[in-house]
Amino acid sequence: MRKLLIGLRSSIKLITLLTVSSIIIVAIIMTVYKPIYSVTFEGEMIGYSENKVALSKKLLNYQENGAEGSDAALIQMEMPEYKLCFLKRGIETNDEEIYQKVISTGVPYYKFYAIAVSGEEKLYVSTLDEAKQIVNRLVEKDSKNANSLSIQQKYEMAKKEFTSTDEAVVALYENKITPEIQRNMGRVGRASSGGTTYKKLPIEFAKPIRATITSRFGARWGTTHKGLDFGAPTGTQIKAAAEGTVTFSGWNSGGFGYLVIISHGNGIQTYYGHCSALDCKVGDYVYQGDPIAKVGNTGDSQGSHLHFEIRANDVAYNPEYYL
């Protein structure tokens, strides 16, 4: 028993001595050397990092979100490799240089949504909500292609030109030519005392002015009145009935006086005649409700009012069906 105790005591002394020695050795090493990570990227050693976690987190954030203010959905890039080592304390780290080196190789991918007809991509929007709204509006309007519409989420390196909701509805809408519409198409726009024909249009129009209708679409004084007249004081604000591009803004010698014409795509236009002032110019892109002109009494006019027309392929339709 005594020999056992002596042996145990000797072992404890040895372990204690080794532990103390190890601590002393580590302390000496730590005063001269420090733990650090060497960073290798694409087979090349590009520097040292003292904080692997912080550098990795920063790189992952860039990969998932891109640079601040960028509209890239994600960045495809390789990540560096780290190896723990001990180097003399004089060695400096270069985390920022490593970061810039790695992200410089990144390839940005942009996320968007394609609206397809029978699987063929037709146009693009930036959000899923926009895409759903376009499809829903085409379904509501009973577009001929409604059942063949689909939404596809896309990631590509090249940016796409996005289409606004109203422009997309106009561009994609396909009218169902029923036998009744086919019979009427030849006489659309030719008003009679018994009424006028009607054609579904893929645009939602708003009243360009809140005022009383003083003259309606149809036969008038032996001619055809191709629009609606809204009686209002001179200077009353006129607003765009729908989104589109201003294709005419100036004096019209054909009787309209000062006139604004807005093109809404698909051959559809709106006319705003007899204005006293024009608040837009050719090439302006306006949205529904934007101010475009003021009511006047110019041209072939018998009093202060707005003459408003809706035309499709230069054929006039009764605006009352659409407002």
Side-chain angles (χ1 to χ4, degrees), residues 59-66 72-75:
L59 288 169
L60 284 171
N61 180 67
Y62 179 84
Q63 186 179 48
E64 294 174 0
N65 303 300
L74 58 88
I75 308 294

Side-chain angles (χ1 to χ4, degrees), residues 244-249 260-264 269-270 281-284:
T245 301
V246 177
T247 56
F248 185 90
S249 180
V260 172
I261 301 175
I262 300 176
S263 174
H264 308 285
Q269 297 174 308
T270 47
K281 62 183 183 300
V282 172
D284 285 351

Side-chain angles (χ1 to χ4, degrees), residues 3 27 48-49 67 74 89 115 120 133 158 171 182-183 193 215 227 250 260 269 287 304 313 317:
K3 290 182 178 180
Y48 298 99
S49 173
L74 58 88
R89 288 189 171 274
I115 300 179
E120 181 182 354
Q133 186 179 357
Q182 186 69 50
R183 289 194 300 272
S193 59
S215 184
V260 172
Q269 297 174 308
Y287 293 89
S304 180
N313 297 320
Y317 291 82

Side-chain angles (χ1 to χ4, degrees), residues 56-314:
S56 297
K57 186 180 293 185
K58 188 176 179 180
L59 288 169
L60 284 171
N61 180 67
Y62 179 84
Q63 186 179 48
E64 294 174 0
N65 303 300
E68 185 176 350
S70 168
D71 54 357
L74 58 88
I75 308 294
Q76 186 182 60
M77 65 185 192
E78 297 294 327
M79 287 296 179
E81 297 178 356
Y82 304 89
K83 183 179 180 181
L84 180 63
C85 55
F86 287 88
L87 297 175
K88 287 187 177 181
R89 288 189 171 274
I91 299 295
E92 294 190 11
T93 57
N94 59 330
D95 293 63
E96 183 60 28
E97 184 180 338
I98 292 169
Y99 174 77
Q100 294 298 333
K101 172 79 171 179
V102 174
I103 68 171
S104 69
T105 65
V107 178
Y109 278 77
Y110 301 93
K111 178 182 177 182
F112 55 91
Y113 294 87
I115 300 179
V117 179
S118 299
E120 181 182 354
E121 296 176 16
K122 293 295 186 180
L123 47 81
Y124 307 94
V125 294
S126 60
T127 68
L128 180 59
D129 285 343
E130 288 178 281
K132 287 181 177 179
Q133 186 179 357
I134 292 165
V135 171
N136 289 338
R137 284 176 58 179
L138 288 166
V139 171
E140 290 170 2
K141 292 177 179 295
D142 197 24
S143 179
K144 185 178 179 181
N145 57 14
N147 293 331
S148 60
L149 295 170
S150 62
I151 299 172
Q152 302 172 4
Q153 181 176 294
K154 310 284 289 186
Y155 286 90
E156 291 186 7
M157 289 185 288
K159 290 184 178 181
K160 293 291 186 180
E161 183 176 346
F162 295 144
T163 306
S164 71
T165 300
D166 287 342
E167 285 182 303
V169 172
V170 171
L172 294 175
Y173 178 82
E174 292 182 9
N175 190 35
K176 290 183 176 179
I177 307 299
T178 64
E180 181 181 2
I181 293 176
Q182 186 69 50
R183 289 194 300 272
N184 289 334
M185 284 182 73
R187 50 193 185 86
V188 167
R190 293 202 290 270
S192 66
S193 59
T196 60
T197 56
Y198 169 75
K199 177 184 175 71
K200 291 184 72 172
L201 298 177
I203 296 180
E204 295 176 1
F205 295 96
K207 284 187 177 181
I209 186 174
R210 292 189 176 276
T212 302
I213 296 174
T214 55
S215 184
R216 300 186 184 279
F217 183 101
R220 187 181 71 172
W221 307 330
T223 62
T224 299
H225 186 232
K226 295 183 178 182
L228 293 179
D229 287 348
F230 293 91
T234 296
T236 302
Q237 188 69 68
I238 301 169
K239 299 180 179 180
E243 181 180 356
T245 301
V246 177
T247 56
F248 185 90
S249 180
W251 180 262
N252 172 270
S253 59
F256 285 107
Y258 284 110
L259 171 71
V260 172
I261 301 175
I262 300 176
S263 174
H264 308 285
N266 223 27
I268 300 170
Q269 297 174 308
T270 47
Y271 281 55
Y272 309 80
H274 308 309
C275 303
S276 63
L278 305 173
D279 299 327
C280 62
K281 62 183 183 300
V282 172
D284 285 351
Y285 193 86
V286 296
Y287 293 89
Q288 188 177 76
D290 282 355
I292 56 169
K294 292 181 175 63
V295 172
N297 187 28
T298 59
D300 187 7
S301 171
Q302 303 301 315
S304 180
H305 72 284
L306 166 66
H307 174 82
F308 175 68
E309 293 185 15
I310 295 177
R311 297 189 183 189
N313 297 320
D314 209 30

